[in-house]
Amino acid sequence: MDAVDKIISQWEKERPDLDVSAMAPVGRLSVVAHHFSRQMGKVFTRHGLNSAGFDVLATLRRSPPPHALTAGELMESMMITSGTMTNRIDQLVKAGHVVRKSDASDARRILVKLTPKGKRLIDKAVTEHVVNQATLLESLDESERETLDHLLRKLLASRSS
């Protein structure tokens, strides 16, 4: 019996009129997400990053060379506000991980470009991040990971409908 089971049991005793069956998987997803976030944060911190900075650098790194996108493209990819994006970019510029530069094809457009320093950093950080993610799921075999992935994809798809 885990903490979620205890909570479910308490609600079933106090409010037997409620169907709290959805509370178990939602509660467990919440606990797992919090644990994963903490563990991934440790990796980011070892590289002098937080999750926000990691996200920006990773988004730039997985874009084709020259690893540059507009702030709008970054915002769209990360689903954040312009103010939040500006703050993230400012911090990464200060650290020397990205630069802002005019787009050669349209001087009105400003690109955010990964610097060589930023590329080296994200390559190291993402390598450790991928290993960490595998470790977080090591209690599941391949079939269980595939099933979990399928079910989570289904849940996410239902959000957009």
Side-chain angles (χ1 to χ4, degrees):
M1 186 170 207
D2 65 14
V4 174
D5 288 325
K6 184 176 179 182
I7 291 167
I8 299 302
S9 175
Q10 290 169 332
W11 278 118
E12 286 172 341
K13 285 179 186 145
E14 292 299 318
R15 289 292 310 271
D17 58 308
L18 292 178
D19 175 7
V20 295
S21 59
M23 198 179 280
V26 171
R28 286 189 177 91
L29 280 170
S30 178
V31 171
V32 166
H34 183 69
H35 171 70
F36 282 14
S37 181
R38 277 194 331 265
Q39 294 308 111
M40 291 185 299
K42 290 177 184 178
V43 170
F44 305 150
T45 299
R46 280 196 289 276
H47 294 278
L49 295 168
N50 57 27
S51 64
F54 178 89
D55 283 347
V56 173
L57 295 179
T59 300
L60 290 169
R61 179 62 178 100
R62 69 178 182 261
S63 70
H67 308 298
L69 297 168
T70 66
E73 291 167 331
L74 284 166
M75 282 181 353
E76 186 178 310
S77 173
M78 295 190 224
M79 298 179 289
I80 57 174
T81 66
S82 61
T84 300
M85 188 75 254
T86 299
N87 183 47
R88 289 181 184 186
I89 294 168
D90 288 347
Q91 296 303 313
L92 293 168
V93 167
K94 279 185 206 171
H97 301 310
V98 301
V99 292
R100 287 183 175 98
K101 59 179 255 165
S102 294
D103 186 344
S105 64
D106 182 353
R108 294 170 298 174
R109 282 177 27 127
I110 301 297
L111 295 173
V112 179
K113 183 180 185 301
L114 203 55
T115 64
K117 177 183 177 183
K119 185 174 184 268
R120 285 190 302 274
L121 174 66
I122 194 59
D123 281 347
K124 287 180 190 172
V126 78
T127 298
E128 188 177 343
H129 178 60
V130 167
V131 170
N132 187 44
Q133 287 178 323
T135 300
L136 290 170
L137 294 177
E138 70 187 357
S139 64
L140 302 177
D141 64 31
E142 185 177 349
S143 173
E144 290 169 325
R145 284 192 306 271
E146 288 172 4
T147 299
L148 176 62
D149 187 46
H150 171 76
L151 294 171
L152 292 172
R153 183 179 291 111
K154 184 176 179 179
L155 278 174
L156 287 173
S158 72
R159 275 187 43 213
S160 59
S161 45

